[in-house]
Amino acid sequence: KTGTARGSADVRYDGQGGLTAGDGTVVGAFWSSGSNHSTYELRTKWADQVGPDDALPEYPRPQLTRPDWQNLNGRWQFAAAGADEQPPVGKTLPERILVPYPVESQLSGIERHEDRMWYRRTFTVPADWHIGQGKRLRLNFGAVDWKADVYVNGTRVAQHQGGYDKFSADVTDALKPGRTQELIVGVYDPTDAAAGENPPLGKQRLDPSGIWYTPTSGIWQTVWMEPVAPDHVDSLKLTPDVEHGRLTVETEGVREGVPVTATAYDGRRKVATAQGRTGGPLTLTIHDPHLWSPDDPFLYGLKVRVGADEVGSYFGMRSISVEQVNGVPRTVLNGKPIFMMATLDQGFWPDGLYTAPTDEALAHDLKVHKQLGFNAVRKHIKVEPDRWFYWADRLGLMVWQDMPAMTAGKNPSSAARAEYEREMKEMIDEHISSPSVVMWVTFNEGWGQYDEGRIAQQAKSWDPTRLVNGMSGINLGTDGGAGDIIDEHGYPSPALPPHPDGKRALVSGEYGGLGLAVPGHAWSVQQSYVDVDPATYTDDYLAKLDEVRALACRGSNGAVYTQISDVEGELNGLLTYDRKVLKPDVTRVRAAQQALIRDASRATPAGCRAD
């Protein structure tokens, strides 16, 4: 932005552009380098679609919808803050920020880091919502990184800690007569500060380089409000039971004893109904259920009525487990072995950092997974907004969901450990109804790890319906011996854990990392992984895929290629960071990956050599 980027800029000319010197002399091919004084900032095509009136306007919570709501994204007032400052009630703040883009991002309009900050705006409540006359006003936040204090008209209505989970507050009693109401949000985000609390932060670093990236602070997911009945559901827990053709519906956040009705739909056709009262589960019987899978990601519609509150939702019928198949522990989807071919998906954007510029952008990388023949995706130490899971559910991708790591190389304190486990439970609870999520990954490569076996068992107790991968990359951390998966990382060639226990399924949790820089589409980097000839890039990728196939013949159940897109200093993506160039030959890659998944998903994998 300022023309003072670290590192150098390469200038390459092939001699074919018709350049001449002032005296007419033809300029031949050359390659030169020098200081990087460029002020160009890498951005995606969607950045130009973002403005104060259309900042992520979509309904943000697809598995719990209500017809009346109002988006509060857009232009807010902003100011840096100091510790122990009082909220700036009634004061105009000096700067403007575009919510919900992180304060460090281009799209926010601020583009710098702050440890502490204030957000301020006013809002009006539609009169036809009848707030205070049989309806209550709910204020919702998709995510704020990391600690938030929320004030309405000077009254604190919410305190929340955790950068990846949603929270809300009933603000009815804080409203004042008249149309205009004041909303202030104070945020504190230590990121990886040496004296900070060491929260779960994933790849965010105050001094980004290499595999660590620019942090995301402040409001980074949609803010909205909605009218609700006094008795209303805050979340739904939807648990499919494929074997018995049932769906369990649990309404949460509402007092016990309120009448509740749940109805499932296949399109417009009603397929099941159950009635009862809150405080216990409802069971819907789904006759001859249409199962969800990557090849057929079928979703049922769902309506739930709790007293006077009615919400819309959806669900998928599918099962996931590890079972012995011909004496080998295999991952099994809907009763059949499944080989999971995924990429490492870090969810960073050059213009929005943690926040995709638009909903189309949010869906884009998942659509590219399907285009390239992948059937799975590993969401790497980040938790996405609900709409990302909706797209994975709808498109048909099996999600390995990582818990965001604490700071690597730092032994977490008892307080940090308690926070880690609290935020992990929030992650599981909030996405437990998404059919695409098939695995929770509780630690990665030893980053901030502790009590590995206990944490894996804890995750399994919170959600016994999914697989648990207690340590992705046991060669770089400690295997706690628990969970359903044993996971080895290998670069560039995939690898399997050398000491299988005969119970947990084997996977290659990361491999590949073939680097290819595309001039004009790279972040200003200090270091990168550039080691592939553009002419042989697809061949090199497919050669590694042959190694994945060989491991499938030795009991592997999945592989995760690093990675779907370039990210800042890493140039090993299948897509460039700005998502404008897809590097491999799509047709060849898709055909090879579909063949691999087909052959490796058989009870006895096909295409294996007899050596």
Side-chain angles (χ1 to χ4, degrees):
K1 183 178 181 180
T2 60
T4 57
R6 293 172 288 186
S8 62
D10 285 347
V11 179
R12 307 184 195 190
Y13 177 54
D14 62 7
Q16 304 300 310
L19 292 180
T20 59
D23 62 1
T25 303
V26 174
V27 176
F30 67 87
W31 182 357
S32 183
S33 66
S35 299
N36 186 356
H37 298 303
S38 172
T39 56
Y40 173 74
E41 293 185 275
L42 200 70
R43 52 199 279 127
T44 68
K45 66 179 181 180
W46 299 284
D48 294 333
Q49 302 170 18
V50 175
D53 299 324
D54 53 9
L56 295 178
E58 295 79 14
Y59 191 85
R61 196 180 52 199
Q63 278 194 300
L64 188 73
T65 64
R66 293 188 175 97
D68 295 326
W69 72 292
Q70 188 172 110
N71 197 318
L72 296 178
N73 293 342
R75 195 75 74 196
W76 292 43
Q77 297 174 18
F78 181 84
D84 302 320
E85 274 189 11
Q86 293 300 304
V89 177
K91 299 178 182 178
T92 299
L93 304 183
E95 297 181 90
R96 299 296 177 267
I97 188 170
L98 187 59
V99 169
Y101 301 100
V103 63
E104 295 91 344
S105 72
Q106 290 179 45
L107 290 175
S108 74
I110 302 294
E111 210 168 349
R112 69 173 187 270
H113 173 77
E114 295 289 352
D115 290 338
R116 300 179 187 273
M117 64 208 87
W118 293 112
Y119 292 77
R120 180 180 181 270
R121 66 161 290 162
T122 58
F123 66 94
T124 59
V125 181
D128 60 2
W129 284 5
H130 305 295
I131 301 302
Q133 304 168 8
K135 288 292 184 74
R136 309 289 292 179
L137 185 64
R138 201 82 183 167
L139 177 64
N140 304 299
F141 291 82
V144 179
D145 196 356
W146 172 67
K147 185 176 182 179
D149 290 274
V150 182
Y151 303 83
V152 171
N153 297 320
T155 299
R156 187 163 63 190
V157 295
Q159 283 185 297
H160 180 263
Q161 199 163 282
Y164 299 94
D165 55 284
K166 58 171 106 47
F167 64 98
S168 60
D170 184 329
V171 302
T172 310
D173 296 339
L175 300 176
K176 291 184 175 180
R179 290 180 56 81
T180 302
Q181 314 291 331
E182 181 189 48
L183 171 59
I184 292 174
V185 182
V187 180
Y188 165 59
D189 182 19
T191 312
D192 65 331
E197 289 84 343
N198 192 20
L201 79 168
K203 287 290 194 82
Q204 303 178 73
R205 294 295 184 272
L206 294 174
D207 185 17
S209 64
I211 65 169
W212 313 112
Y213 318 132
T214 303
T216 279
S217 301
I219 299 171
W220 70 276
Q221 292 184 27
T222 292
V223 185
W224 82 104
M225 61 183 183
E226 59 185 341
V228 296
D231 289 318
H232 61 274
V233 60
D234 283 340
S235 63
L236 296 173
K237 182 179 180 181
L238 310 175
T239 308
D241 179 352
V242 168
E243 182 180 358
H244 299 100
R246 295 191 298 232
L247 177 81
T248 300
V249 179
E250 297 175 73
T251 55
E252 301 185 333
V254 63
R255 66 184 176 91
E256 294 185 9
V258 181
V260 56
T261 301
T263 306
Y265 296 85
D266 178 349
R268 294 184 178 181
R269 182 173 65 92
K270 186 186 300 185
V271 295
T273 299
Q275 294 180 324
R277 291 187 178 273
T278 55
L282 289 183
T283 300
L284 295 172
T285 299
I286 313 294
H287 296 288
D288 191 22
H290 188 160
L291 301 186
W292 182 97
S293 71
D295 291 332
D296 183 14
F298 180 81
L299 299 173
Y300 286 93
L302 182 68
K303 290 183 180 178
V304 178
R305 187 172 185 86
V306 177
D309 184 36
E310 185 170 343
V311 296
S313 189
Y314 68 85
F315 64 94
M317 294 294 291
R318 65 106 188 91
S319 65
I320 187 74
S321 61
V322 169
E323 300 176 14
Q324 294 287 330
V325 178
N326 295 335
V328 178
R330 299 286 299 276
T331 49
V332 174
L333 178 73
N334 299 332
K336 298 178 181 178
I338 186 75
F339 187 88
M340 294 183 278
M341 190 66 214
T343 79
L344 201 70
D345 184 341
Q346 312 216 48
F348 275 78
W349 301 84
D351 34 36
L353 300 176
Y354 257 16
T355 308
T358 67
D359 192 59
E360 181 184 358
L362 186 69
H364 174 265
D365 289 2
L366 296 177
K367 291 179 178 179
V368 172
H369 279 82
K370 298 294 286 190
Q371 186 182 358
L372 289 169
F374 292 98
N375 66 355
V377 52
R378 180 181 172 199
K379 178 50 63 175
H380 192 38
I381 57 176
K382 177 198 177 186
V383 186
E384 292 283 5
D386 287 356
R387 288 195 64 85
W388 184 89
F389 292 90
Y390 160 75
W391 281 112
D393 293 339
R394 180 175 162 183
L395 293 170
L397 285 161
M398 294 177 289
V399 175
W400 302 17
Q401 178 59 57
D402 288 14
M403 175 61 194
M406 295 177 285
T407 305
K410 188 173 183 178
N411 183 27
S413 66
S414 58
R417 296 179 183 201
E419 179 66 15
Y420 187 83
E421 293 172 48
R422 191 191 66 78
E423 290 194 36
M424 184 170 71
K425 187 172 192 303
E426 286 294 325
M427 174 187 74
I428 291 173
D429 286 349
E430 290 189 9
H431 302 291
I432 201 165
S433 299
S434 178
S436 60
V437 179
V438 299
M439 186 190 301
W440 304 114
V441 182
T442 53
F443 285 115
N444 178 77
E445 292 190 354
W447 299 347
Q449 73 175 105
Y450 66 95
D451 295 353
E452 301 79 18
R454 180 181 67 80
I455 297 299
Q457 291 170 339
Q458 181 68 77
K460 193 71 173 181
S461 71
W462 287 333
D463 182 9
T465 72
R466 285 182 176 81
L467 308 180
V468 171
N469 183 344
M471 169 57 71
S472 186
I474 62 168
N475 50 312
L476 298 165
T478 301
D479 177 17
D484 304 286
I485 301 292
I486 312 181
D487 178 330
E488 181 100 352
H489 292 180
Y491 286 100
S493 293
L496 287 183
H499 304 295
D501 59 13
K503 298 178 181 179
R504 292 176 291 170
L506 306 178
V507 300
S508 301
E510 292 180 29
Y511 83 97
L514 303 177
L516 176 62
V518 181
H521 299 277
W523 191 260
S524 178
V525 298
Q526 290 177 276
Q527 66 178 82
S528 61
Y529 307 92
V530 184
D531 53 13
V532 178
D533 184 335
T536 64
Y537 180 78
T538 298
D539 291 337
D540 292 340
Y541 179 86
L542 294 177
K544 295 301 169 198
L545 196 66
D546 284 341
E547 297 179 30
V548 171
R549 177 183 284 272
L551 295 184
C553 296
R554 292 171 41 200
S556 177
N557 293 269
V560 180
Y561 179 78
T562 303
Q563 56 187 320
I564 186 59
S565 77
D566 295 345
V567 186
E568 298 199 4
E570 296 187 272
L571 297 173
N572 49 12
L574 296 164
L575 285 159
T576 54
Y577 195 22
D578 59 10
R579 274 59 167 195
K580 293 178 181 177
V581 179
L582 182 53
K583 300 176 188 179
D585 182 319
V586 172
T587 301
R588 292 178 63 199
V589 169
R590 180 174 61 244
Q593 299 205 141
Q594 289 176 339
L596 167 62
I597 292 168
R598 180 186 64 244
D599 291 347
S601 297
R602 296 180 180 179
T604 300
C608 298
R609 292 178 297 192
D611 51 19

